[in-house]
Amino acid sequence: MFKTTHAFSSFSANDIETAKKFYGEALGLDVTSGEMGILTLKLAGGGEVIIYPKHDHEPATFTVLNFPVDDIDKAVDELAARGITLERYDIHGATPDAKGIYRAPAGGHAPDIAWFKDPAGNILSVLKQN
């Protein structure tokens, strides 16, 4: 039924101008502004994400956007250089390394991953592409 549709994801932010600056400048994504204050993030591969303004915004309590990378250490270093702080969670006894990266155990199926938040408090991740 939806096999040929161009689906997209969306989430809210309480300050669209701050979100535009964060996604465009800090993360380096192509961001366009549309009607009613809606932002469109252009992702590699042709995907899009919509960020819409919501005055009573509550941050998502789950990861809303994942960025797969070839070199997670380099990506985390770049985030830190841009003033972005990584989040630290208690995940079934797993702890992040000194950089804030949760490393997959040898032979495990989970990727190396690090989480951070956008200015609206939504959770994003950078993870090692397998």
Side-chain angles (χ1 to χ4, degrees), residues 72-129:
I72 192 167
D73 288 280
K74 180 179 177 184
V76 164
D77 290 344
E78 288 179 19
L79 289 170
R82 295 172 186 208
I84 298 170
T85 304
L86 297 181
E87 298 296 310
R88 296 177 183 271
Y89 299 109
D90 180 19
I91 305 172
H92 308 292
T95 56
D97 65 13
K99 285 188 172 188
I101 301 170
Y102 291 80
R103 306 281 179 177
H109 298 288
D112 292 350
I113 188 167
W115 288 277
F116 59 102
K117 292 183 179 179
D118 73 3
N122 294 310
I123 302 168
L124 313 172
S125 84
V126 60
L127 59 128
K128 186 171 191 251
Q129 191 167 11

Side-chain angles (χ1 to χ4, degrees), residues 4-130:
T4 60
T5 66
H6 295 275
F8 62 92
S9 178
S10 66
F11 54 89
S12 67
N14 56 346
D15 184 334
I16 289 297
E17 285 306 312
T18 300
K20 184 177 182 180
K21 185 175 180 180
F22 176 80
Y23 285 96
E25 294 177 19
L27 299 187
L29 296 175
D30 181 14
V31 181
T32 57
S33 299
E35 294 181 26
M36 300 184 300
I38 293 174
L39 300 178
T40 301
L41 307 179
K42 305 272 188 207
L43 305 176
E48 294 182 345
V49 173
I50 302 298
I51 302 176
Y52 57 92
K54 189 173 182 206
H55 73 280
D56 61 346
H57 164 77
E58 291 188 28
T61 58
F62 52 87
T63 309
V64 298
L65 191 55
N66 299 283
F67 295 98
V69 296
D70 291 326
D71 187 339
I72 192 167
D73 288 280
K74 180 179 177 184
V76 164
D77 290 344
E78 288 179 19
L79 289 170
R82 295 172 186 208
I84 298 170
T85 304
L86 297 181
E87 298 296 310
R88 296 177 183 271
Y89 299 109
D90 180 19
I91 305 172
H92 308 292
T95 56
D97 65 13
K99 285 188 172 188
I101 301 170
Y102 291 80
R103 306 281 179 177
H109 298 288
D112 292 350
I113 188 167
W115 288 277
F116 59 102
K117 292 183 179 179
D118 73 3
N122 294 310
I123 302 168
L124 313 172
S125 84
V126 60
L127 59 128
K128 186 171 191 251
Q129 191 167 11
N130 293 333

